[in-house]
């Protein structure tokens, strides 16, 4: 049996674009693939998944215990259906990074992390050392392959597919040791950082949480996600789920605008795959200008209000 199972990520209403990126990786692996969607009232999400090009079957598992993205419940369910698959893929998003190691552990295998390129069904490339080196990974072929797909490295599969839809009852019991309390997301209603086509970020130079309103208001004017450097997060100017970089989120927007961010290697790692990088920094020697497509040596506290005025 050489077949791939992709675990769909969604927010209960919309399929996360990371699923279509995993599909591109599965296509490169070269085996038929199914997508599993877990949660409740899944009709619309399953229909979105069925459009992903190359998908054989979209399996919907509708159960109360799967409504919230609790890794303990989702992992147990995936393991219960793992028999028919040689490969199990999930996205390298917060959801996937929480879920996939648990699946790997339950199956007794090592996880392959952050696949950025496929060389063969068990042969991959992935970045290490903050993206400064690319390592070749040869995974064993006699055990199941559990892997995360580095979503910033893959384009979404097209949406002209017509997969079969299948409903399946949950096969794993709900966990008794973990319960869902709530979700606090820093970005508010703004686009999810890891799938936004535009991202506006602020660094330490923002100097306060109040000043971050400049970032949020500009982001809202152009329909962008809001990000931050680790220094800004550590200083308490914004929540840590906004952090972009090696120990934050790896993103690949078409447009990335950085205000008052110096361009440390750990930050650049998170934006390497961005289409156009715009940097505003008052230090002409700031390293971010080495990677920026457009650089402006200026005070962000002047530039942002001017940009907003132009957009109004
Ligand atoms: C293991 C490890 C992991 C890390 N992971 C991450 C990570 O995931 N993400 C991340 O971002 N960092 C990460 N870091 C931290 C990283 O090394 C830097 O310390 C951090 O990115 C610096 O943030 P910054 O650019 O906001 O601050 P600074 O480096 O202090 O830069 C502030 C910049 O603002 C400019 N500036 C000041 N005032 C203004 C103004 N008024 N207008 C315009 N520009 C102005 C300055 O010229 C300066 O370039 C990590 C570090 C380590 C060791």
């Amino acid at each position: 049996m050489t077949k791939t199972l992709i675990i769909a990520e969604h927010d209960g209403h919309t399929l996360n674009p990371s699923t279509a990126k995993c599909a591109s990786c599965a296509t490169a692996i070269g085996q038929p693939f199914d997508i599993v969607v877990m949660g409740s009232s899944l009709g619309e999400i399953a229909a979105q998944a069925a459009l992903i090009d190359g998908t054989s079957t979209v399996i919907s598992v509708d159960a109360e215990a799967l409504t919230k993205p609790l890794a303990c419940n989702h992992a147990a369910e995936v393991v219960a259906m793992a028999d028919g698959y040689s490969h199990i893929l999930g996205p390298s998003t917060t959801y996937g990074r929480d879920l996939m190691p648990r699946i790997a552990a339950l199956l007794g295998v090592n996880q392959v992390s952050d696949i950025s390129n496929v060389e063969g069904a068990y042969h991959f490339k992935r970045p290490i050392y903050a993206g400064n080196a690319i390592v070749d990974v040869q995974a064993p072929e006699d055990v199941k392959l559990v892997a995360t797909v580095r979503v910033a490295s893959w384009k979404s599969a097209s949406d002209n597919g017509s997969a079969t839809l299948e409903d399946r009852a949950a096969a794993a019991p709900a966990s008794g040791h973990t319960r869902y309390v709530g979700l606090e997301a820093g970005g508010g209603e703004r686009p999810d950082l890891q799938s936004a086509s535009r991202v506006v970020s602020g660094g330490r130079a923002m100097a306060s949480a109040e000043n971050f309103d400049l970032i949020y208001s500009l982001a809202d004017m152009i329909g962008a996600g809001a990000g931050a450097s680790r220094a800004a997060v550590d200083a308490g100017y914004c929540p840590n789920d906004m952090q972009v970089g090696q120990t934050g989120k790896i993103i690949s927007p078409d447009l990335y605008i950085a205000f008052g961010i110096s361009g440390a290697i750990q930050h650049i790692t998170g934006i390497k795959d961005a289409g156009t990088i715009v940097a505003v920094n008052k230090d002409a020697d700031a390293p971010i200008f080495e990677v920026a497509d457009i650089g402006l040596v200026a005070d962000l506290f002047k530039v942002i209000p001017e940009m907003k005025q132009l957009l109004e």
Side-chain angles (χ1 to χ4, degrees):
M1 145 275 315
T2 51
K3 200 171 187 190
T4 300
L5 179 67
I6 295 172
I7 299 160
E9 177 171 357
H10 63 89
D11 62 3
H13 309 285
T14 311
L15 192 66
N16 190 290
S18 63
T19 309
K21 295 186 175 196
C22 288
S24 295
C25 179
T27 301
I29 287 171
Q31 302 173 170
F33 64 88
D34 296 340
I35 296 177
V36 59
V37 184
M38 292 176 279
S40 52
S41 304
L42 296 168
E44 179 52 33
I45 296 162
Q48 292 166 29
L51 292 175
I52 294 177
D53 206 25
T55 312
S56 304
T57 304
V58 175
I59 303 162
S60 298
V61 187
D62 191 323
E64 181 62 31
L66 300 173
T67 307
K68 302 298 182 193
L70 282 181
C72 52
N73 291 339
H74 281 207
E77 199 53 49
V78 171
V79 169
M81 67 173 70
D83 265 357
Y85 300 94
S86 57
H87 291 54
I88 302 175
L89 301 181
S92 64
T93 56
T94 307
Y95 170 70
R97 287 186 198 182
D98 188 28
L99 176 64
M100 302 310 288
R102 194 178 278 259
I103 294 172
L106 288 171
L107 291 170
V109 298
N110 290 314
Q111 176 186 286
V112 175
S113 302
D114 283 344
I115 295 177
S116 60
N117 209 357
V118 171
E119 302 286 310
Y122 292 87
H123 183 188
F124 310 102
K125 288 194 188 294
R126 60 161 298 210
I128 57 167
Y129 297 130
N132 286 312
I134 306 295
V135 68
D136 254 298
V137 180
Q138 183 71 54
E141 300 190 12
D142 55 347
V143 293
K144 266 187 217 312
L145 185 118
V146 176
T148 57
V149 175
R150 186 176 186 273
V151 289
S153 298
W154 296 89
K155 296 249 176 279
S156 294
S158 58
D159 59 357
N160 49 14
S162 54
T164 309
L165 294 171
E166 180 186 324
D167 290 325
R168 218 180 266 185
S175 155
H177 58 66
T178 306
R179 71 190 165 84
Y180 183 85
V181 176
L183 171 71
E184 281 179 36
E189 295 300 305
R190 290 176 199 100
D192 169 49
L193 263 188
Q194 280 173 298
S195 50
S197 61
R198 297 167 185 174
V199 171
V200 179
S201 274
R204 195 197 309 269
M206 297 310 299
S208 72
E210 292 69 37
N211 287 342
F212 246 85
D213 284 343
L214 286 169
I215 297 292
Y216 300 137
S217 54
L218 180 61
D220 290 343
M221 289 178 96
I222 61 170
S229 71
R230 175 157 157 184
V233 170
D234 286 351
Y237 302 158
C238 54
N240 71 357
D241 64 352
M242 283 173 57
Q243 184 179 317
V244 172
Q246 183 187 347
T247 44
K249 289 179 174 153
I250 309 286
I251 61 174
S252 54
D254 297 332
L255 174 66
Y256 184 73
I257 313 180
F259 289 102
I261 292 179
S262 59
I265 182 69
Q266 297 90 352
H267 188 82
I268 301 303
T269 295
I271 58 169
K272 269 196 168 95
D273 299 289
T276 300
I277 297 173
V278 178
V280 178
N281 195 305
K282 65 180 186 186
D283 175 7
D285 294 325
I288 194 145
F289 289 131
E290 287 166 25
V291 296
D293 300 286
I294 300 168
L296 190 58
V297 180
D299 184 341
L300 70 91
F301 293 107
K302 287 202 179 120
V303 174
I304 298 182
E306 280 171 15
M307 284 176 85
K308 286 174 62 180
Q309 219 168 11
L310 284 172
L311 289 163
E312 265 161 13

